[in-house]
Every structure is written in C-alpha cells, then in structure tokens.
Amino acid sequence: MTAPAVLTDREIGLARLVAHGLVRPEDVAPEDVVRALGAVQAQDLPGALVSVGLRRAGGSAGLRQAFDDGRIVRTWPMRGTLHLVPAEELRDWLAVLGPRTVASTAARRRALGIDERLDAAREAALAALRHGPQPRERLHAAWEEAGLLGEPGRGYHLMLALHLDATLCMGPLSADARDQLVVPVADWIPAAGEGAAGEGAAGPGAGAGGAPPVVARWVRRYLRGHGPASVADAARWAALPRSAVREALAGLDGVVAVHDRAGRELWCAPEVLDGPAPGDRRAAGVFLLPPFDEFVLGYGDRSHVLAPERASSIVPGGNGVFKPTVVAGGRIVGTWGRARRAGGPALVLDPFEELSPARRRAAERAFARLPAL
C-alpha cells in the first residue's frame, strides 16, 4: 500500500497512536520504550511511569528494576524540563542540549550567584552521596550546612546546574515511586559506550545531511516515535533550531513525508501508514493517558488531535500543568481523574461532549488496564 499523500486529522491522530506504541504495545524493555520516543516527559514522575507502561506489553512489570539497575535516568536534558532518558545517552543529551538550557537560564543564575557557588555545591553533593543514592532533600540540607543557600530558588538552580553539567542525575525510584534518589553520574553510568548502535544513518557513527550524529539520531527517533509530525514540532521538542532539524532530515532514512489537509508537510515512519492498525477498531478506540504524556506534550501544534478551543481544557489557565486526557478516534475528547470510592478508585470522566455508552464502557476498561506502580 502506498502511503497517502494527504492525511486527514483523524488519520494523523490514529497514525500517531500507532507510532507511540499505544495501539499494540510490544514485549520490550522499559528503556526501549524511552529510547524509541527519544525521551519521555517526566515533570510528573508517576505519570511518566504510566506513559512507559502503556507502551509495552509488560505494563509496569520490571519498570522499577530498570531505574534501580541504572538503565533509565531522569534529568533536565532540554527545555528546562525533566525527562526520562536512556542512561547510556545521558552525556550525549547534555553535551548537545545542556548549553542551550544554561544560556536560557543565565540571567537567573547570575541573580542567584550560582556559578560562584557551583564548585562548593558539587563538593558538598558528592560528599553526601558517598554513602549511596540520596533524596534531593539530603543534598539541599548539605548545601544549607555549607552556607550555600539562603535565597529562594538557589537550591533548585544548584540542582539544575549540577544535572546540566552531568555531575548528578536521578536514578533509583523512591519506595513509593513518586520520586527518585540522586546519584553521581560518574559512578552510576559507565563513561564508555554512550550512544545507540544499529540505527542506520542516524546512528552514532554517521551523520545525516551534515548534522551532528547525535542530533540526527534524535530527529529520526522523534519522527518515527511521534510522527506524523512537522519540522517545527521536532525543533520545539528538542529545543533545537529548525535549521538543525532540517539539516538532519536531509539525509535521514526510515521516515517518509506526508501532508495534512492544509498542505503542511509532516514526517513519520512508513509502517504507521502501511500497516492495518491506523484504520482498525483498536486504534480508533479509547485511551486514557496520564498528565504530560508525549502524545500531548510532544508537539508544539496539537490542532490535529485537539480542537483549538479546547486547549485550555487540558491545561487550565495555561499554567503548564496538564491534565490526564481521554483519546478516542485519534482525538483528545476530554480529561479524566480518579475518585475514592468504597470499592477502590473509580474513573471520573470530564468529556468535552457527551460520550456514547460504548465509549464510556471502553474508558472503564482502559481505566482497569492502567499500569499499577
């Protein structure tokens, strides 16, 4: 089957669900899910764990072990936002994108005196970590004891700075899986063997279109794991100039171009168009996604899957706090939450328009299947 030249919004939404691995989750390791997407939004850690679990046949099984074994870590690789990344690629992410975050926060760093305190903060943090992984509060206490705090926001920016220069990262999950313990990158992640092999033109040993190999690899993963998506979407996601994304795309294999009904060029993996899944009942069914899921947050332009007038419904007040979303027929059709009932948690739906009884039943089934943490 030849990929259609023009896709409707519905077709784009269904194809994205397939690309994300949400339609037919495969039996893969948790870190493979993260790697396939490039990175996973993780401002809300429990939600990020659900996002990973929804995209693998094993659900949450083995997910904690992937963190405790050092295969997945969390840090601020781009846009000043926490993400899950494959541990072996942490240094690659930070080497290319870290300086952009440093530059974007330069004024705040100067105001807080971060740079002149950074060496002392590093020394105090590493001393506190000599006895093993620690919660962030323990490092803040060490900085307080060393006289490095005293100004609101200074602790956060010291933590951010030491993550951006690859001194620290967040590794093992806490007992309740709602946070992670901080570890020294040098001890937690071996320095040799960064990067992922076997990705053709986007692998670590070959660039694409003259772009740095790391950038080419990420652009390919983003378009394959999020597509159909535009150059602008990819640039926003990775906090890179559009010119860098276009340069990578110029020599990239494994992706094809399509257009939306407005004539805008989008890129995706050919298999999300050639396979039967985008048109089958499972792809068009009901999905319950956690807050900050990549299906929502992975795009600058969400108009293909969300009516523009409903944008404020999923992030009330534009405050950056995204609600869990209901997806049906490839489109975001509402938000959802949990209520405490005598028999256990119950699904609470807040649809944009009345859902049919069939879709409500499908939502209840999706709620029962959500990965347990």
Side-chain angles (χ1 to χ4, degrees):
M1 170 182 166
T2 301
V6 178
L7 300 181
T8 64
D9 284 350
R10 175 183 168 85
E11 289 169 331
I12 290 169
L14 297 179
R16 285 181 181 176
L17 288 170
V18 175
H20 276 263
L22 289 163
V23 176
R24 287 189 172 84
E26 297 182 0
D27 186 13
V28 296
E31 63 270 25
D32 291 333
V33 171
V34 178
R35 191 176 293 112
L37 289 171
V40 173
Q41 295 263 343
Q43 302 96 313
D44 177 72
L45 179 61
L49 300 182
V50 171
S51 288
V52 174
L54 286 171
R55 289 165 168 83
R56 55 190 298 263
S60 58
L63 190 51
R64 172 181 287 275
Q65 200 63 46
F67 287 89
D68 294 352
D69 289 348
R71 290 177 277 141
I72 301 174
V73 295
R74 187 165 62 136
T75 190
W76 285 270
M78 55 194 177
R79 307 197 314 275
T81 301
L82 284 162
H83 286 74
L84 306 182
V85 298
E88 79 277 4
E89 297 183 359
L90 174 71
R91 294 180 180 87
D92 285 350
W93 279 102
L94 295 175
V96 174
L97 300 177
R100 298 181 66 83
T101 302
V102 171
S104 70
T105 58
R108 187 64 177 146
R109 285 170 67 118
R110 283 194 301 271
L112 292 171
I114 296 300
D115 291 345
E116 52 264 41
R117 291 171 171 80
L118 198 55
D119 288 342
R122 181 181 296 107
E123 182 179 348
L126 294 177
L129 293 170
R130 284 185 191 134
H131 303 293
Q134 300 291 330
R136 279 181 276 182
E137 293 78 9
R138 175 67 187 90
L139 272 63
H140 280 260
W143 294 334
E144 186 71 55
E145 293 166 10
L148 298 172
L149 299 184
E151 184 77 20
R154 191 173 281 156
Y156 167 82
H157 278 273
L158 286 172
M159 186 71 71
L160 174 63
L162 290 172
H163 276 69
L164 290 173
D165 70 10
T167 296
L168 308 175
C169 69
M170 294 178 224
L173 294 178
S174 60
D176 62 1
R178 301 196 68 82
D179 204 352
Q180 290 170 273
L181 304 181
V182 180
V183 293
V185 170
D187 296 342
W188 194 248
I189 307 172
E194 291 114 43
E199 294 195 64
V214 170
V215 173
R217 182 200 314 154
W218 294 336
V219 170
R220 182 176 187 270
R221 286 184 188 168
Y222 172 83
L223 294 174
R224 290 182 61 82
H226 292 74
S230 67
V231 166
D233 286 326
R236 174 214 165 263
W237 178 82
L240 287 168
R242 294 186 189 185
S243 58
V245 174
R246 291 193 188 97
E247 189 176 18
L249 188 57
L252 213 55
D253 67 349
V255 295
V256 296
V258 295
H259 292 83
D260 66 12
R261 297 294 289 271
R264 292 172 292 190
E265 187 176 62
L266 307 172
W267 296 83
C268 62
E271 55 265 32
V272 305
L273 304 171
D274 293 343
D280 73 13
R281 292 179 63 184
R282 191 179 309 186
V286 176
F287 299 82
L288 298 184
L289 302 181
F292 302 100
D293 191 87
E294 284 287 320
F295 184 81
V296 180
L297 272 290
Y299 308 86
D301 178 5
R302 303 183 185 103
S303 62
H304 294 107
V305 300
L306 177 67
E309 65 271 18
R310 292 295 185 179
S312 62
S313 299
I314 66 170
V315 55
N319 60 4
V321 179
F322 283 76
K323 288 187 168 186
T325 51
V326 182
V327 177
R331 292 187 63 77
I332 299 170
V333 298
T335 61
W336 66 276
R338 289 181 174 89
R340 295 183 181 275
R341 302 279 167 80
L347 173 64
V348 177
L349 294 171
D350 186 11
F352 300 153
E353 298 177 2
E354 184 59 34
L355 293 179
S356 68
R359 282 188 167 176
R360 285 187 172 273
R361 290 192 297 270
E364 291 287 353
R365 293 193 295 271
F367 184 68
R369 292 194 303 266
L370 285 173
L373 300 182

